[in-house]
Amino acid sequence: MGLVLIVDDIPGNLRLVEALLEPDQHQVRTAGGGAEALRLVRAQPPDLVLMDVIMPFVDGFDACRAIKQDPATRLIPVVLVTSLDDAASRIRGIEAGADDFVSKPFNAPELRARVRSLLRMKCYTDDLESVDAVMVSLALTIEARDRTTGGHCQCLAQYASTLGRTLRLDAEDLSALARGGFLHDVGKVGIPDAVLLKRGPLAPDEYELIKQHTLIGDRLCSELRSLHKVRPIVRHHHERLDGSGYPDGLRGDTTPLLAQIMGIVDVFDALTTERPYRTAMPTALAAEELRREVARGWRRADLVGAFLEQVAHC
Ligand SMILES: [Fe+2]
């Protein structure tokens, strides 16, 4: 059982599919077109979308593509309804990201079996997502240890994914940047409060301890396959192009691009946020500091330039 959204512009078809699914006692919602379907999907994400392909205005292909391109909804299975033997529509559907197809006229047992099977799969992906949610709440708990950095994770996720969009990165990378904004410092869970929250400069051995947060975070994320794209951000967001960063002293573009992006927004956010030992730096001075880091050979000029351009328009 699950929440199924049926989409068709012909009311009779909606009623027919509703009746066919009735024995399985799913919760059913209906939408009369692609645009209404997208509104409902965003307002209350269903467990499955069963959608006709031929509809006026926003058709089934466009609505399916929009669902699959949005990181918040891309794991919702979409089944497209095509007419029998319509191979061209199936190819278009696959390109739009459809998970399965059913043909009209409906074969009731087949339709019900497909819906049940995709709802079972959705349960597994929900489990994966809840593991992600646990990781994010862990990151927010760590953030809450130091009240002066409240909202830091949210800010970083936003800055980083906006920069990613400017650089025309794909949806998977954008999602990694958004999650990396929350998870990049998750390894701080292993750093004692006395060091993490210390007012004033750190002793060399304390600094060495702080550096461990990248390795601890990487180990935590390694347990979760769903975080494979986020792991490099967690491990490498403190690397510098000249090899003077940590934990691995990577040089140049051997530091993954997503980690370089997170490194830039992390520094900017840290400088412009109030800390126990100093006040927040104005944006213009923080921008100067980032340019100095480019001149020192720590960061890529094009990435810092694109980021500062973005900040200027905020
Ligand atoms: Fe960090």
Side-chain angles (χ1 to χ4, degrees), residues 132 135 172-173 175-184 186 217-218 221 224-237 258-259 262:
D132 258 28
M135 289 294 279
E172 211 188 346
D173 283 346
S175 153
L177 284 172
R179 290 148 92 205
F182 285 92
L183 294 176
H184 67 291
V186 72
D218 186 36
C221 294
L224 298 170
R225 268 225 320 255
S226 62
L227 292 178
H228 77 280
K229 271 261 172 186
V230 183
R231 265 185 82 185
I233 297 176
V234 173
R235 185 177 181 105
H236 296 299
H237 67 279
L258 301 185
M262 193 58 66

Side-chain angles (χ1 to χ4, degrees), residues 86-251:
D86 185 358
S89 285
R90 292 198 171 210
I91 291 166
R92 277 187 72 192
I94 291 167
E95 282 167 355
D99 296 273
D100 205 350
F101 298 91
V102 286
S103 307
K104 277 197 277 196
F106 294 112
N107 172 324
E110 184 196 353
L111 174 70
R112 289 174 52 199
R114 286 192 185 209
V115 166
R116 279 198 301 266
S117 138
L118 281 165
L119 285 174
R120 257 198 313 277
M121 269 184 43
K122 176 66 169 39
C123 273
Y124 300 136
T125 49
D126 281 351
D127 278 351
L128 279 178
E129 280 198 297
S130 46
V131 172
D132 258 28
V134 169
M135 289 294 279
V136 168
S137 23
L138 178 60
L140 291 172
T141 309
I142 296 156
E143 181 187 72
R145 283 164 75 189
D146 177 3
R147 284 193 205 144
T148 59
T149 60
H152 172 76
C153 290
Q154 187 86 50
C155 224
L156 266 136
Q158 222 155 56
Y159 274 144
S161 33
T162 308
L163 179 53
R165 261 192 298 279
T166 308
L167 299 170
R168 298 184 183 283
L169 300 186
D170 63 27
E172 211 188 346
D173 283 346
L174 294 179
S175 153
L177 284 172
R179 290 148 92 205
F182 285 92
L183 294 176
H184 67 291
D185 275 345
V186 72
K188 285 186 176 170
V189 70
I191 311 297
D193 278 0
V195 177
L196 190 65
L197 309 180
K198 185 176 174 184
R199 288 165 179 263
L202 295 170
D205 60 324
E206 292 171 332
Y207 184 51
E208 287 307 312
L209 201 58
I210 288 273
K211 286 179 174 178
Q212 294 291 313
H213 79 275
T214 50
L215 299 173
I216 297 169
D218 186 36
R219 258 201 313 278
L220 281 173
C221 294
S222 70
E223 301 296 327
L224 298 170
R225 268 225 320 255
S226 62
L227 292 178
H228 77 280
K229 271 261 172 186
V230 183
R231 265 185 82 185
I233 297 176
V234 173
R235 185 177 181 105
H236 296 299
H237 67 279
H238 288 288
E239 304 283 1
R240 294 168 179 162
L241 297 193
D242 67 353
S244 66
Y246 63 88
D248 297 316
L250 297 184
R251 285 180 170 273

